Amino acid sequence: MVFRFRTSIAAKLVAGYGLLGLASIMAVSAVFYSGTIGVIDQNIDGKIMAQSERLMTHVGDGSSRVLMAEIRRLLSDGVDSDREIFELLDSEGAPVVGNLGSWPDVKDGPEMVTASVVRDERNTPARLYLRPLDDGSMLIVGRDLSEEEAVREVIWRALAAGVCVSLMLTIAGALLFRGSIEARLGEIRRTAAQIEAGDLSPRVPVTGNDEFALLNRDINRMLDRIELLMAGVRDVSNSIAHDLRTPLSRIRGRLDDVLRHEMTVQTLSTAAHDAIDDIDDLIRLFERLLQIAEAESGMRARLFERLDLGRVVADIGEMYEAIAEDNNITLTVDAPASLDVEGDRNLLASAVASLLDNAIKYAGPGSTIHVRAGLYHGDAAISVHDNGPGIPNGELDKVTERFYRLDKSRHMPGNGLGLSIVSATAKSHDGKLVLEDGAPGLVARIVLPLAPA
């Protein structure tokens, strides 16, 4: 139990809540007590002092006989006489007149004391003002505190009862608070345990709109993203296995065929060249995967520099003019100068080249490709527009996934990584890849933020 208390945040919160509640109760009780008993005590002292001053006015001429007469009158007038205390002592300390059977010893000078005295043959608490007179006698004026003590006891009992009730309510509230926290945290732990066991589908229940609900929504969004990434990893793994199996099987078949027949220099040379070509395809596949990983990791962000996007487009367009002409494709380039962005020239050039490769491959002979650099809704953009068959609307969101290909049979050359590389490059530059229906054809647009002026 001690170990659980030390390690449980809920138990610590409950303990802190309980201590804070107890401290608050004690503070309120102290204020209430001082505001009642303290006021009563001050009122009693004030009355005693006022009564003493009124008596002293009767001995202004030094006559103790007048003072004695006044004390007798006050004790017999029936006005609060059951609570008033008067006693006059002579210079020897012997009683002269009054209603006390005992009194405290007099020390230096006048003083206000609380003491137990004998009055009407019974002990009673009293508040007394002991005032020496000029002739050596002593005047004692006071008040019986029996009623005040009864009130004080009632107040103490009320405060004690209030503290006990408040403490029980505090403990009950703290336990309820702890149960609520542990229940909400338990939902998260149970979901985490299911996910740890390998099931990525469970989600944390979201109830209300408090801090736990906001946290649960964030956790669920994170789990959605993790599940999506894991599904992507599985798809990528399957696609890699499929794309590697075909060239590896082809390499093995060719080499096995060479070994089964007469081995001449010509056959060995041909087999070696074919194997090298297939291995080069595999190397290019892994280079593209590394290129995507590098772009997504942001490792090259530190190499970003201010560059003219129009110049990049113009250079790549010039490189592809001969390729387009060989494929009987009309390529036009519109690249105005002074379109500045912050980025990596090589990554952006590779992304534009990938878009042109796709356009030339899928648009086909006799088509037209238009490459343009310019503004797009206030941002810099590179667009490649062809009038080929385009991409069905239902596939536009999928073609940027790794190894996703419209050619399900995978008879056409390629590995389905071109648009994935372009999308990763755009995201690494705080931009995005936008694919739109060109009616006809496809418009592939890389949108990037402009460099600050």
Side-chain angles (χ1 to χ4, degrees):
M1 182 63 70
V2 175
F3 176 77
R4 177 174 173 78
F5 176 79
R6 290 179 179 176
T7 59
S8 172
I9 183 65
K12 292 178 181 177
L13 288 174
V14 166
Y17 177 74
L19 291 175
L20 180 61
L22 183 60
S24 300
I25 294 170
M26 297 301 294
V28 170
S29 299
V31 172
F32 178 77
Y33 183 81
S34 63
T36 53
I37 299 301
V39 171
I40 293 175
D41 290 342
Q42 292 178 2
N43 187 42
I44 291 174
D45 287 352
K47 288 182 178 180
I48 293 175
M49 294 293 294
Q51 188 70 50
S52 175
E53 293 298 326
R54 284 195 297 271
L55 282 173
M56 292 305 297
T57 58
H58 291 82
V59 293
D61 57 355
S63 173
S64 60
R65 190 175 304 172
V66 177
L67 179 59
M68 293 168 56
E70 182 62 20
I71 291 175
R72 291 191 181 97
R73 186 190 69 79
L74 290 174
L75 291 176
S76 61
D77 62 5
V79 180
D80 207 16
S81 59
D82 59 332
R83 300 187 63 193
E84 289 181 336
I85 295 175
F86 299 100
E87 188 71 33
L88 180 63
L89 306 177
D90 61 17
S91 58
E92 300 296 329
V96 177
V97 64
N99 59 351
L100 286 181
S102 68
W103 49 86
D105 294 334
V106 180
K107 298 182 179 179
D108 298 335
E111 57 179 324
M112 187 75 72
V113 297
T114 300
S116 177
V117 299
V118 176
R119 182 168 176 266
D120 295 334
E121 298 183 353
R122 63 182 179 88
N123 289 325
T124 183
R127 184 72 169 166
L128 305 173
Y129 181 55
L130 288 72
R131 184 168 185 173
L133 302 180
D134 294 341
D135 59 358
S137 61
M138 173 71 68
L139 174 64
I140 301 176
V141 179
R143 193 170 187 86
D144 191 323
L145 296 181
S146 298
E147 292 185 5
E148 282 76 7
E149 288 296 320
V151 171
R152 191 189 305 268
E153 186 175 353
V154 169
I155 292 176
W156 270 113
R157 289 177 180 176
L159 287 177
V163 168
C164 291
V165 172
S166 300
L167 186 58
M168 288 188 291
L169 291 176
T170 299
I171 293 174
L175 293 176
L176 181 64
F177 176 64
R178 175 187 176 185
S180 176
I181 290 181
E182 289 187 341
R184 302 298 291 273
L185 293 179
E187 294 173 345
I188 299 175
R189 293 186 63 193
R190 285 190 294 271
T191 303
Q194 291 175 298
I195 292 174
E196 184 181 4
D199 184 6
L200 297 180
S201 60
R203 295 294 180 267
V204 183
V206 178
T207 56
N209 196 34
D210 56 11
E211 288 79 1
F212 275 105
L214 297 176
L215 174 62
N216 292 349
R217 289 193 185 97
D218 292 339
I219 292 175
N220 287 341
R221 282 196 295 269
M222 177 187 69
L223 293 177
D224 290 340
R225 180 61 177 165
I226 290 175
E227 186 176 22
L228 180 63
L229 292 176
M230 292 301 295
V233 168
R234 286 193 295 268
D235 292 340
V236 168
S237 299
N238 294 336
S239 299
I240 289 177
H242 188 281
D243 284 353
L244 288 181
R245 183 177 60 186
T246 300
L248 289 175
S249 298
R250 188 165 55 245
I251 293 172
R252 186 188 185 285
R254 288 174 178 172
L255 294 177
D256 183 66
D257 184 65
V258 170
L259 293 176
R260 290 177 181 274
H261 297 83
E262 181 182 357
M263 290 183 288
T264 63
V265 174
Q266 181 62 35
T267 57
L268 290 174
S269 176
T270 301
H273 282 295
D274 291 341
I276 290 173
D277 290 339
D278 289 335
I279 291 173
D280 286 341
D281 289 339
L282 294 177
I283 291 174
R284 281 191 290 272
L285 170 64
F286 285 110
E287 285 178 347
R288 284 176 169 266
L289 289 173
L290 290 174
Q291 188 177 355
I292 293 174
E294 187 179 37
E296 289 180 340
S297 67
M299 293 174 57
R300 299 185 63 167
R302 61 181 181 274
L303 301 178
F304 284 6
E305 61 181 353
R306 192 182 187 92
L307 55 89
D308 185 355
L309 199 61
R311 184 70 264 169
V312 174
V313 172
D315 292 341
I316 300 300
E318 185 178 349
M319 287 176 53
Y320 274 82
E321 284 179 353
I323 299 175
E325 185 177 350
D326 291 342
N327 287 273
N328 193 25
I329 293 175
T330 302
L331 176 63
T332 61
V333 179
D334 180 11
S338 301
L339 186 63
D340 293 340
V341 298
E342 294 284 343
D344 186 307
R345 181 181 299 273
N346 293 330
L347 284 179
L348 293 175
S350 177
V352 177
S354 294
L355 292 180
L356 283 173
D357 281 334
N358 277 355
I360 292 173
K361 182 193 302 182
Y362 293 105
S367 61
T368 300
I369 300 174
H370 182 62
V371 184
R372 179 181 179 275
L375 294 177
Y376 179 77
H377 298 312
D379 291 322
I382 306 168
S383 62
V384 177
H385 182 191
D386 65 73
N387 60 352
I391 299 176
N393 289 332
E395 305 283 340
L396 287 175
D397 294 335
K398 300 178 181 179
V399 292
T400 55
E401 297 176 5
R402 297 180 191 180
F403 296 105
Y404 188 88
R405 297 173 65 179
L406 295 175
D407 176 26
K408 305 300 182 184
S409 62
R410 299 180 181 252
H411 288 155
M412 296 185 67
N415 45 40
L417 293 176
L419 291 179
S420 298
I421 293 175
V422 177
S423 178
T425 300
K427 289 179 181 178
S428 69
H429 287 76
D430 295 328
K432 59 184 177 179
L433 172 63
V434 180
L435 301 178
E436 301 172 350
D437 184 2
L442 175 72
V443 178
R445 183 176 287 110
I446 301 173
V447 182
L448 305 173
L450 287 168

